[in-house]
Amino acid sequence: MKPRAALLAPTSVLALAGCAGEATPVYVEALAQSGRSAFVCLAVDRPEAEKPGVLRSLPITDCSYRTADTPTDFEVDEADGGRAKLPHLYALVTQTSRGEVAVIDMTTERSQILDLDPGTPGASFLPVGAQPVDIVASRGGTASFVAVAEPGREGIFALPSARVLPREGCPAPALSSWPSCSLGSPPGEILLVSDPPGPEGKLRSSCSSDHDIDPASPGDAEASGDACGGAGGDLSREGLGRQKLIVTLPELGGFAVIDAQTLLEDERYAEGGFAPCEIERWVPLQVSLPPAPPPEAAPPGAACVNPAASARPAQAVEAPRPAGLALAGDRLFVADLDAPVIHVVDLPTPCDPLELPPLLPASTLDPERVVTTSRLAVSQASPPDFRRFLYAVDAGDGSVMVFDVSDGAAGRAPLSRPHPEWNPFQPPDRIRLPAPVRDLAVVQREAPASLPATGVAPEGIRCDPDPRLRTCDSNVASCDIETLYRTSASRDAGAGPLKLRGSFAYLMLTNGEVAIADVDDLDAACRGPAAGTARAGCDEVASPGAPPLATSGEVSCNVVTPHALRSASYIVSSDVSGQLEPGVRGLPILYDRTGSVVPFSAEGPKMRATLPSGDAAGLTLAVGAEREAIVAADSAQTPLDERGLVLRSGEPQHALSMNLEDPRVHLSNETWTVTYEGVLPDFTRTFVRFDEEGAVRSADARFCRRGVQSQASVEEQLLAAGFDEREAAARAAELADFVQITSALPAEDADYWKELGSPVCSFESCNAKYGTVITSRPGLRVVEAYDDHLTLESRDPAVDEVAFAACCFGGEVQLGVRAAGQWVVQSSGVGFRHHVVADPDTGRCRNACDERLARLNGRVVHTPEDVGVTDGDPGAFVNPMFRFAVTGGAPEQDMQFRFTTQGAFTPLLVQLSDTVELQPQSIRLVPATGELAITDGSLEGLILLSARSVGVTRRFK
């Protein structure tokens, strides 16, 4: 980086400092408000030592991690005619506020940011006009192209690589140094694509001409070079056909095809000619949407409802406004900022574009929202099934959708996760992150292992944990190479969270972090448990007696799963790794309503882990850094049924079982309480009034949204579960929520009592019942619940408690809602979870039919029998994080189990800076090194992420 020095005159220095001395250079960042980046590989040959060198452009892959001492060190070999042996990798970075392109030498170790005009104070770059919005470089490094949106001078500037480096004796570049053409409308993203040669290997100069041009060879380009880069460069020598520019024009709703070579060499565009760009093809994008799907109906006979259905508003859309571009083979994908489509264009050649039916962004959770997109990235097709995926940033909320764009893929909607009920905190059809995604890139990573006997290191090999395979070491001549990628016993090598082999999505967030999502991890099969179980989310459950798999020993089969955030650590617990497996810090403890510990006893309530319906052997619970075995079969040695409990020194203890199907559901380590007939939260500030019919009403009560469960709702659920009508009615009366009024009575001398004149109540009778502690006040059963009112009845059929309460409390009152005969589960973070919604037809509070929400539960029905409980039994509780049952004993109101969870999921995030606030703009792959380049819209310039590890490797600012 070249410093800009502010030098003060000696007299000024004396005046300011009070003594004489040398002026101190003030260092400032050379790069500011960087936008987009492109990369070229260049070398400077010296065929004649006494003359300036001649620049030679090279394929981007000819550059590497090699370094040079200075920007002029190209390791020229005089014995080879002065040919340079060390090409340099250059980054071209748009400076949006200055209308320039900075040139960064990524190979040299000194003076990396090049000054194109040393005679002018400060760092001078390549002027291209105001508001550069995108830049692309040809793969052979011949030229780069910049799209500029300067009002009144919208266009494309071509930067021949022969002119972008400062060389002695050559003039500093000016705006008129570059070939350029005008567009008449502000451009958006641009892309270079190739028009392939004809059958005889010849090129065509335009889409309307014949294939009659012989492509140039690399030798032709070298012969025509000169010291100051007078020639614009011949793109055909790169061997990629006739290269065309795809230029989006957002305000016009389409994209243009422009011949890149014509822009470089046509006299109309030379020396800043800025004649109108010659557009060979204009593609007006279309917005074609299918009819809105019919609303989902509730499952027949189910005691649940669906929320109100709405017509998809995408039927009335704006005109297209193209945004991000992604190219995969002969398919071009175009994001749209205004219309709810991702345009798909068949592009066998850029001269023959054909728009196909679009992809259809949408939101499962918010179907009324018009979902548009900003940035795109597409994966490579990988064996064995050669599937390809498109990642798209939702322009509305910054989440990421994934589309299957493999050959033959039929779906056009975003992919949905299998088993969305495992993690209801994530939308089923997208990846939501802590901050919006600004840009993204899908990258192929590889770290091939070598066969010990031959040294050969084939790529694309998937790790295989099959114990029958022959492992590789230096003593065997033949082995199965898939075993080379297995996790080592000490977990310091092989398959692991920081070993990236396969396809991965790098998601650049607006908060200055980069998240990594798995697309296709070649080591995924070796990350998981040694024996598959349903509790671990495994598709294949290990049969009894089967040999263990050679895996990482992690607790879930979905530690690595496609299109989900990658874990930053192994999901295990040990003294070495720490408490990283979902579990509890200590076993649950029971307290009475005064807060005193209730010792575990055969007579008291017990929290038990529920057992799977099949083989429950091997079920464990992580407690701290240890795994405790959960008893799967009663020993019959004591009167107590031990199933679902933990034995410590032979003594039974309370237990639960963690859900391990998807580790990402464990959002944080929280303290949980399980309270018998506990109060539902969030009613402390709710005021209601009794109406003439004895119901309590309030416009802002939100009873459904707070999870109130009525007698009618419980009865419907029991009938749907197979109970007979009589038993269902009786149980519903026992399990319906009840209301307790928490307000104080009007004072004895209040005017209310003087004006009451009612035979139903008096201050004395009301005070006798409601003047005591709140918890002993009578409860009023919730017969039916609506979002704004509750229909109540007395729990004692001999007394009309509702009319009496309405008489005692004539104005607004506060209330508490308690769960009858049930334990209320809530935490310090997640809170009380439920899936109650208002029936759109009747307004009644009912459970939602959405299977994704099936585990959003906060109630445990007490099981009177003191026995083991199987998943699916009436008393079996499951929420997204864990499962258990409470059995036996005679629980008292406000008795409470407490425990704290551990092992919260930590996503793999790269912090770009921990000292300054960033404004990340774009992320692009550097093909020469495999690094990812991130530009900062503030003062941090260009930041590079490593290809070999997870972290920042270099910064240029």
Side-chain angles (χ1 to χ4, degrees), residues 191 193 325-334 343-348 354 356-357 378 388 390 405-409:
L191 194 66
V193 296
L325 299 173
L327 184 67
D330 58 0
R331 288 289 166 86
L332 176 67
F333 301 95
V334 186
H343 306 278
V344 182
V345 181
D346 188 27
L347 209 67
L354 174 64
L356 302 175
V378 65
R388 191 191 301 273
L390 180 76
V405 294
S406 311
D407 292 342

Side-chain angles (χ1 to χ4, degrees), residues 330-653:
D330 58 0
R331 288 289 166 86
L332 176 67
F333 301 95
V334 186
D336 199 306
L337 284 171
D338 283 351
V341 297
I342 296 174
H343 306 278
V344 182
V345 181
D346 188 27
L347 209 67
T349 79
C351 297
D352 302 296
L354 174 64
E355 187 167 5
L356 302 175
L359 302 175
L360 302 172
S363 171
T364 300
L365 300 187
D366 188 5
E368 295 184 9
R369 183 165 67 93
V370 176
V371 178
T372 61
T373 49
S374 57
R375 303 283 178 90
L376 305 176
V378 65
S379 69
Q380 297 182 22
S382 302
D385 52 6
F386 294 95
R387 297 184 71 186
R388 191 191 301 273
F389 300 97
L390 180 76
Y391 278 59
V393 177
D394 185 327
D397 65 8
S399 60
V400 174
M401 297 168 286
V402 184
F403 298 83
D404 187 348
V405 294
S406 311
D407 292 342
R412 297 160 61 189
L415 293 178
S416 290
R417 289 180 290 110
H419 299 289
E421 75 279 4
W422 288 352
N423 187 358
F425 305 124
Q426 269 285 341
D429 57 353
R430 62 197 58 226
I431 305 171
R432 181 171 289 163
L433 296 110
V437 175
R438 181 74 171 87
D439 198 6
L440 72 172
V442 177
V443 178
Q444 193 85 11
R445 297 295 195 200
E446 181 58 285
S450 301
L451 281 166
T454 63
V456 175
E459 295 187 349
I461 303 298
R462 294 182 181 271
C463 186
D464 193 332
D466 189 340
R468 296 169 296 181
L469 298 181
R470 186 173 186 181
T471 56
C472 295
D473 59 48
S474 57
N475 300 318
V476 298
S478 176
C479 63
D480 293 301
I481 191 171
E482 297 90 340
T483 64
L484 287 171
Y485 297 100
R486 292 174 177 173
T487 306
S488 65
S490 57
R491 297 193 181 95
D492 58 355
L498 304 183
K499 185 71 169 290
L500 303 183
R501 288 196 327 115
S503 294
F504 304 91
Y506 285 71
L507 312 176
M508 185 186 73
L509 311 185
T510 56
N511 66 356
E513 294 179 328
V514 176
I516 299 177
D518 293 302
V519 180
D520 181 18
D521 184 358
L522 296 177
D523 292 332
C526 291
R527 298 282 307 280
T533 65
R535 286 281 181 93
C538 305
D539 293 331
E540 297 182 8
V541 177
S543 56
L549 299 174
T551 65
S552 59
E554 294 171 88
V555 297
S556 174
C557 281
N558 294 303
V559 170
V560 176
T561 190
H563 320 307
L565 293 181
R566 188 172 182 84
S567 171
S569 55
Y570 289 103
I571 309 297
V572 295
S573 283
S574 69
D575 293 330
V576 176
S577 65
Q579 300 171 2
L580 302 177
E581 175 184 337
V584 292
R585 294 178 183 173
L587 292 174
I589 298 174
L590 178 63
Y591 298 83
D592 65 20
R593 69 190 311 167
T594 67
S596 300
V597 173
V598 178
F600 187 97
S601 68
E603 295 75 25
K606 300 164 194 65
M607 180 180 287
R608 301 172 182 262
T610 57
L611 304 175
S613 55
D615 184 11
L619 195 62
T620 62
L621 171 65
V623 184
E626 304 294 331
R627 286 182 181 171
E628 302 267 11
I630 294 173
V631 178
D634 185 23
S635 66
Q637 300 298 313
T638 65
L640 178 67
D641 188 336
E642 300 164 349
R643 289 178 296 169
L645 301 174
V646 163
L647 297 181
R648 280 188 171 176
S649 302
E651 295 296 325
Q653 301 292 330

Side-chain angles (χ1 to χ4, degrees), residues 820-894:
Q822 301 168 79
W823 299 76
V824 174
V825 183
Q826 57 183 313
S827 75
S828 54
V830 170
F832 171 71
R833 288 291 173 173
H834 64 87
H835 51 286
V836 177
V837 298
D839 187 325
D841 296 326
T842 65
R844 296 167 181 160
C845 301
R846 294 293 186 270
N847 283 341
C849 295
D850 189 347
E851 293 183 358
R852 182 184 66 88
L853 308 178
R855 290 190 178 182
L856 290 183
N857 298 310
R859 301 166 178 272
V860 188
V861 176
H862 186 78
T863 302
E865 300 81 11
D866 207 0
V867 296
V869 177
T870 302
D871 291 337
D873 286 351
F877 169 81
V878 59
N879 73 0
M881 285 68 71
F882 45 76
R883 59 185 73 202
F884 62 85
V886 182
T887 68
E892 298 177 358
Q893 192 175 92
D894 291 329

Side-chain angles (χ1 to χ4, degrees), residues 172-197:
L175 192 63
S176 59
S177 301
W178 318 114
S180 58
C181 68
S182 63
L183 286 168
S185 181
E189 289 199 14
I190 59 177
L191 194 66
L192 266 175
V193 296
S194 296
D195 184 19

Side-chain angles (χ1 to χ4, degrees), residues 683-700:
F683 283 105
T684 56
R685 296 184 180 180
T686 300
F687 291 85
V688 299
R689 285 179 178 271
F690 282 94
D691 64 14
E692 295 178 355
E693 298 176 358
V696 289
R697 292 182 177 271
S698 174
D700 63 349

Side-chain angles (χ1 to χ4, degrees), residues 663-750:
R664 294 158 194 81
V665 75
H666 299 277
L667 302 177
S668 61
N669 300 327
E670 301 180 89
T671 297
W672 289 82
T673 60
V674 182
T675 309
Y676 186 68
E677 294 195 339
V679 178
L680 303 192
D682 301 328
F683 283 105
T684 56
R685 296 184 180 180
T686 300
F687 291 85
V688 299
R689 285 179 178 271
F690 282 94
D691 64 14
E692 295 178 355
E693 298 176 358
V696 289
R697 292 182 177 271
S698 174
D700 63 349
R702 298 178 294 175
F703 292 114
C704 297
R705 280 174 279 183
R706 290 170 173 170
V708 174
Q709 181 173 260
S710 68
Q711 179 178 350
S713 175
V714 176
E715 186 171 353
E716 291 174 10
Q717 295 175 52
L718 294 173
L719 289 172
F723 285 72
D724 63 51
E725 293 185 5
R726 185 174 179 178
E727 185 179 7
R731 288 288 288 156
E734 295 172 357
L735 298 176
D737 289 349
F738 63 93
V739 167
Q740 284 182 318
I741 297 174
T742 59
S743 295
L745 286 169
E748 185 176 3
D749 58 353

Side-chain angles (χ1 to χ4, degrees), residues 33-72:
Q33 296 186 12
S34 300
R36 300 292 186 94
S37 59
F39 305 90
V40 292
C41 182
L42 306 174
V44 176
D45 298 327
R46 299 295 296 269
E48 299 180 56
E50 69 281 359
K51 293 185 179 180
V54 177
L55 189 142
R56 173 166 47 95
S57 58
L58 297 165
I60 189 68
T61 50
D62 281 12
C63 281
S64 66
Y65 270 111
R66 293 182 62 194
T67 59
D69 291 334
T70 67
T72 57

